[in-house]
Amino acid sequence: MAEYMILLFDDETAWASASPEEYDRMLKAHGRFQEQCVELGGKIINSNALQPTTTATSVRGDVVTDGPFAETKEVLGGYYLIDAADLDQALAIAKLVPVLKGGVEVRPIMVF
């Protein structure tokens, strides 16, 4: 098994304007995703959602600024760290991650 990070990129405004029913539907979809990951033979090691980009602080060298570094519609909103047999299995799992209007990125964890 190898570790893969699934990064969730989504539109913050879609989440901010989601109705309580849509928000609840997405939370349930993430619960179902976690079950599907196991069904596909993977394992979630850790996962978290991130606070909105309005809470971000960027550091570039000695310069510290409020907010995200780049203006973009889709922002990193959370992650799943998974164990998967290989990249193909990690991608099969990643295709099941629920997002409102964005997508995901899969990256293997570097082993030193």
Side-chain angles (χ1 to χ4, degrees):
M1 299 291 275
E3 291 183 0
Y4 293 88
M5 180 72 71
I6 301 174
L7 302 168
L8 286 68
F9 291 91
D10 216 341
D11 183 343
E12 282 185 317
T13 60
W15 279 96
S17 63
S19 67
E21 296 80 19
E22 187 172 32
Y23 193 84
D24 186 54
R25 181 183 62 79
M26 288 301 291
L27 290 180
K28 287 179 181 172
H30 277 277
R32 177 64 185 131
F33 162 74
Q34 293 174 24
E35 294 169 357
Q36 291 172 311
C37 179
V38 174
E39 291 168 6
L40 288 175
K43 176 184 174 186
I44 295 174
I45 299 169
N46 196 347
S47 67
N48 270 304
L50 300 176
Q51 293 288 334
T53 55
T54 55
T55 66
T57 303
S58 296
V59 179
R60 301 286 184 264
D62 289 337
V63 178
V64 178
T65 58
D66 290 338
F69 180 69
E71 291 294 324
T72 179
K73 188 169 188 168
E74 291 179 357
V75 297
L76 179 61
Y79 69 89
Y80 284 101
L81 177 61
I82 65 167
D83 254 340
D86 54 29
L87 180 59
D88 289 336
Q89 185 183 41
L91 293 174
I93 292 168
K95 288 178 183 178
L96 301 173
V97 176
V99 292
L100 283 175
K101 293 187 177 187
V104 301
E105 177 181 322
V106 177
R107 296 178 66 179
I109 298 298
M110 189 176 292
V111 178
F112 293 97

